[in-house]
Amino acid sequence: MKKGSICICLCFVLTGVLSCQRQAEETVTERQVTVHTGLKATRAAIDNFDNTEVQILRGNAPDNFSESWPAIINNTNSLTFNPVRIYPLTDEPVVLRGFYPKPAETVTGNQTNYSYSLADGESDILCSNIVTGSYLSPISEIMKFEHLTAQIQITANNDETFPIFRKITKVVLYGLQIAASLNVVTGELTFSGDEKPVTLYENAKGLTPGIHINTPVGSPKMIQPGATNIEVEFTFDKGEDAPQRLPLHFDRATNLDGSQTDNGDTPLKGVSYEIRFVLTSFTIKPQITVQEWKVSDKTIDMPTIW
């Protein structure tokens, strides 16, 4: 009888243990990876993402990315993964960094550098800070994207002495490298290779700026920050035997309130510059002003929310 009693007791104990294990397993729920985004505060003003695809890299350490998690950022700064991403129940760290736009290479997750070209000035390259979380400590830090290029918008206006029959047919920048490489571990964009001309505007019909009215010449263009000895060349349809080339002095740039900037003689990343030219019968006078970041066909703007 004693042996039978012991066996019955053991069965009850084992049944109780298994029941507790089942209850414990049932209480463990999946937790989705959710991330909120924004744009790092710069002297560029910003608007919005609008259901834009961004590249998200996932790893278990800031220098060890291993997966690509493409995502969409909507106009409320909410980032959505497709498929939905789940935190590992082992509480393994989930380390994320985002960048935009999609590069020419396939984003594999374990690649350190991705290539871009600024040959047409249209690539608005952004990279975020690194955010980290886990099952027990989900990501709470905002993923802040930052413009890694500078931006230029050429405008022009005439004074009364400028011949009204003359039109601008082409504007080109010189002194810029266009081959760029984004290091997704450091978040830095570097440039290499020969300097290439970047055409800001070209139209055989030409453009006649307004008298004392700033007229945009082409669309905003993204350029290499930190470049020295940048020159701009104007071509007119009449009255000039050769294009006129002028140096751009960024150390003379002013802010929107008229105060002097402190960015030295090179364009800075995350800063948009209006290069305003006053056309007279004798000279072309450039004026450089720091302005709000402009929306182009391939630029991404987002709200500053911190």
Side-chain angles (χ1 to χ4, degrees):
M1 292 296 293
K2 289 183 179 180
K3 289 183 179 179
S5 298
I6 291 171
C7 289
I8 291 170
C9 288
L10 286 173
C11 288
F12 277 120
V13 169
L14 290 172
T15 302
V17 169
L18 291 173
S19 177
C20 289
Q21 286 180 339
R22 287 194 196 97
Q23 290 177 2
E25 289 174 357
E26 289 172 0
T27 58
V28 175
T29 58
E30 291 184 341
R31 178 168 286 168
Q32 294 185 18
V33 178
T34 59
V35 181
H36 292 284
T37 65
L39 190 130
K40 184 175 179 181
T42 65
R43 280 180 288 178
I46 39 230
D47 275 327
N48 234 325
F49 269 128
D50 187 11
N51 296 320
T52 303
E53 181 181 358
V54 294
Q55 308 302 307
I56 305 293
L57 301 178
R58 188 263 173 169
N60 57 17
D63 60 350
N64 186 28
F65 294 109
S66 57
E67 300 178 64
S68 172
W69 288 4
I72 299 293
I73 301 179
N74 64 25
N75 55 16
T76 63
N77 290 334
S78 177
L79 187 149
T80 302
F81 294 105
N82 186 14
V84 170
R85 303 296 179 171
I86 305 297
Y87 283 108
L89 297 180
T90 57
D91 206 37
E92 174 188 344
V94 172
V95 180
L96 303 178
R97 166 167 265 160
F99 65 100
Y100 172 93
K102 189 175 183 179
E105 305 100 322
T106 300
V107 180
T108 61
N110 57 3
Q111 186 172 329
T112 300
N113 293 284
Y114 291 94
S115 301
Y116 293 94
S117 173
L118 269 67
D120 59 3
E122 296 291 346
S123 294
D124 189 1
I125 304 168
L126 295 92
C127 188
S128 80
N129 58 323
I130 289 174
V131 296
T132 303
S134 65
Y135 181 83
L136 295 178
S137 181
I139 293 169
S140 59
E141 185 178 2
I142 293 174
M143 180 178 278
K144 305 170 187 176
F145 284 79
E146 177 183 17
H147 293 285
L148 298 184
T149 66
Q151 186 186 64
I152 280 185
Q153 170 69 69
I154 299 290
T155 64
N157 69 79
N158 301 341
D159 74 359
E160 292 83 352
T161 66
F162 187 79
I164 60 173
F165 58 83
R166 289 181 60 192
K167 298 179 180 180
I168 301 170
T169 55
K170 191 174 183 178
V171 180
V172 180
L173 286 181
Y174 291 88
L176 296 168
Q177 292 174 307
I178 61 172
S181 176
L182 174 61
N183 185 311
V184 294
V185 173
T186 65
E188 295 295 323
L189 186 70
T190 56
F191 288 78
S192 62
D194 296 334
E195 294 177 352
K196 301 286 186 180
V198 175
T199 300
L200 303 182
Y201 173 81
E202 186 171 17
N203 190 325
K205 294 182 179 179
L207 171 71
T208 302
I211 297 177
H212 300 304
I213 298 175
N214 285 330
T215 304
V217 183
S219 61
K221 300 293 184 183
M222 272 51 69
I223 66 166
Q224 173 194 1
T228 58
N229 302 318
I230 301 176
E231 295 180 317
V232 61
E233 182 180 85
F234 277 82
T235 301
F236 298 91
D237 64 341
K238 298 176 181 178
E240 296 292 339
D241 296 330
Q244 297 188 49
R245 189 179 297 191
L246 302 166
L248 296 179
H249 298 288
F250 288 87
D251 56 342
R252 302 176 188 174
T254 59
N255 295 308
L256 288 172
D257 62 4
S259 62
Q260 198 72 24
T261 64
D262 56 357
N263 63 227
D265 199 20
T266 62
L268 298 181
K269 70 176 181 180
V271 179
S272 182
Y273 301 90
E274 178 188 356
I275 315 295
R276 182 183 305 165
F277 289 88
V278 179
L279 309 179
T280 76
S281 59
F282 306 103
T283 60
I284 301 176
K285 301 176 182 178
Q287 299 171 334
I288 302 178
T289 304
V290 172
Q291 63 175 358
E292 297 179 351
W293 196 273
K294 302 295 183 181
V295 177
S296 184
D297 290 342
K298 298 182 182 179
T299 60
I300 289 299
D301 292 341
M302 312 169 59
T304 302
I305 54 177
W306 54 89

